[in-house]
Amino acid sequence: MQPEVTAPIRFPRFFVTSPAPCPYLPGKRERKVFTELRGENADELNEALGRIGFRRSQTVAYRPSCLDCQACVSVRVVADEFKPSSSQKRTLKANDDLIATECRPWATAEQFELLQKYLAARHPGGGMTQMEETDFADMVEHTSVTSFLIEYREPGTGAEQGRLVGACLTDYQGDGLSMIYSFYDPEHGDRAGLGNYIILDHIRRAAGNGLPFVYLGYWVEGAERMQYKVRYRPLERLTRSGWERMPDAEQKRLIAAATAPRASRREEALPAKDGLASEYKVTE
């Protein structure tokens, strides 16, 4: 009897980007290790890499690989144990009339217009403000894994759709939802906390579908724009020993610091969240 012959497992090839200014901590330099997501096993590879701290940008999975800094920490919310705070309950109540629709990853002019408005208000001068509509289409549509875009709309009139006020590109994984990129109307006077609502809705969706986690990407202590991620409890972070729950006392301290009033000041414009794969160049 001839022994069964199985196809060899293709181990991905990893590459490293050139050092560049850190988008989160002034004076720091960042570099990333990345690999391509392609082939029939792209979903499985993306999920396996996601569990060890990689993120997806189009058809690339990457994670920080800085020589002298480990400030970027992968975090995820434990969806089935999540209990909203008083302010999160108010955010849910204020926005629960929104109609959320899961769409295939296909870019529209309406989405791009909303993204431009979001970037102009929240990331002025950042690299993504130079995006053209074709760049946005690449960000949404160039995916080799199971992903979808959730649109958040106000109630419409009759058969007419309501106004688009938020959207999120999301990957579906076996152990949860990975929020790749979210954007929303930052100047909607009647809807405070739209960004928080999108995260809360993902937590609710994950729990309702029996998925244990919502992956929020990287948290960087000391980077003001990343502190919103500590507000969702319980939160797990990836350490050298694996995923560990953030101690309640530590998270309360971080939440208090993140929500404390801050003196008004002009912030340096920083790049927005990773959305384009243009920096990841594979050279033979």
Side-chain angles (χ1 to χ4, degrees):
M1 183 177 184
Q2 294 292 328
E4 183 178 355
V5 177
T6 58
I9 297 175
R10 181 180 175 84
F11 191 80
R13 296 176 63 193
F14 290 90
F15 308 87
V16 178
T17 63
S18 300
C22 176
Y24 305 120
L25 299 176
K28 293 284 190 179
R29 305 279 290 177
E30 73 161 0
R31 69 173 193 172
K32 298 173 184 175
V33 60
F34 68 97
T35 189
E36 294 179 288
L37 296 169
R38 58 185 179 182
E40 59 182 17
N41 296 318
D43 267 316
E44 290 82 355
L45 177 59
N46 186 48
E47 182 171 336
L49 292 175
R51 292 180 179 178
I52 58 172
F54 279 75
R55 296 284 289 167
R56 184 180 70 83
S57 179
Q58 298 180 40
T59 57
V60 165
Y62 69 91
R63 65 171 295 170
S65 180
C66 305
L67 296 175
D68 60 349
C69 181
Q70 289 80 45
C72 291
V73 178
S74 296
V75 292
R76 64 188 186 186
V77 184
V78 184
D80 59 355
E81 296 182 38
F82 174 77
K83 289 183 173 53
S85 66
S86 296
S87 63
Q88 288 166 343
K89 288 178 181 178
R90 290 193 294 271
T91 297
L92 285 167
K93 184 176 180 180
N95 294 287
D96 256 353
D97 64 321
L98 292 178
I99 299 169
T101 305
E102 289 187 13
C103 310
R104 65 192 181 103
W106 188 258
T108 67
E110 186 182 23
Q111 294 163 6
F112 181 61
E113 182 180 348
L114 180 61
L115 174 67
Q116 287 182 306
K117 185 176 183 180
Y118 167 78
L119 292 173
R122 291 301 172 92
H123 302 280
M128 289 185 69
T129 59
Q130 306 301 315
M131 287 177 65
E132 298 182 355
E133 194 164 356
T134 53
D135 299 318
F136 174 66
D138 287 343
M139 184 180 89
V140 173
E141 298 171 14
H142 283 193
T143 175
S144 52
V145 303
T146 303
S147 60
F148 50 90
L149 195 140
I150 302 179
E151 290 187 339
Y152 296 86
R153 294 181 178 275
E154 294 181 322
T157 302
E160 184 178 344
Q161 282 189 319
R163 183 159 70 100
L164 181 70
V165 297
C168 185
L169 181 63
T170 303
D171 285 354
Y172 181 92
Q173 299 179 180
D175 67 342
L177 300 176
S178 179
M179 298 180 67
I180 302 301
Y181 196 92
S182 62
F183 54 97
Y184 52 90
D185 185 347
E187 299 174 343
H188 197 311
D190 298 328
R191 291 192 181 275
L194 274 171
N196 290 327
Y197 179 77
I198 292 173
I199 296 175
L200 292 168
D201 180 64
H202 275 70
I203 295 171
R204 187 166 53 186
R205 285 171 180 271
N209 285 284
L211 299 172
F213 305 113
V214 172
Y215 288 83
L216 299 182
Y218 299 116
W219 167 68
V220 183
E221 187 170 8
E224 186 174 307
R225 297 187 182 189
M226 306 291 281
Q227 299 317 301
Y228 70 90
K229 298 181 182 183
V230 303
R231 301 181 186 181
Y232 303 91
R233 296 189 291 175
L235 193 70
E236 291 186 353
R237 58 187 171 190
L238 185 60
T239 72
R240 292 182 181 274
S241 302
W243 289 95
E244 296 180 354
R245 187 163 300 196
M246 184 178 288
D248 191 57
E250 180 183 358
Q251 192 164 3
K252 285 181 178 179
R253 174 182 63 80
L254 291 168
I255 292 173
T259 55
R262 293 182 292 272
S264 178
R265 62 184 181 276
R266 183 181 181 277
E267 294 185 69
E268 180 185 359
L270 295 177
K273 297 166 284 188
D274 291 280
L276 300 175
S278 57
E279 67 180 294
Y280 307 107
K281 299 294 185 182
V282 177
T283 56
E284 299 296 340

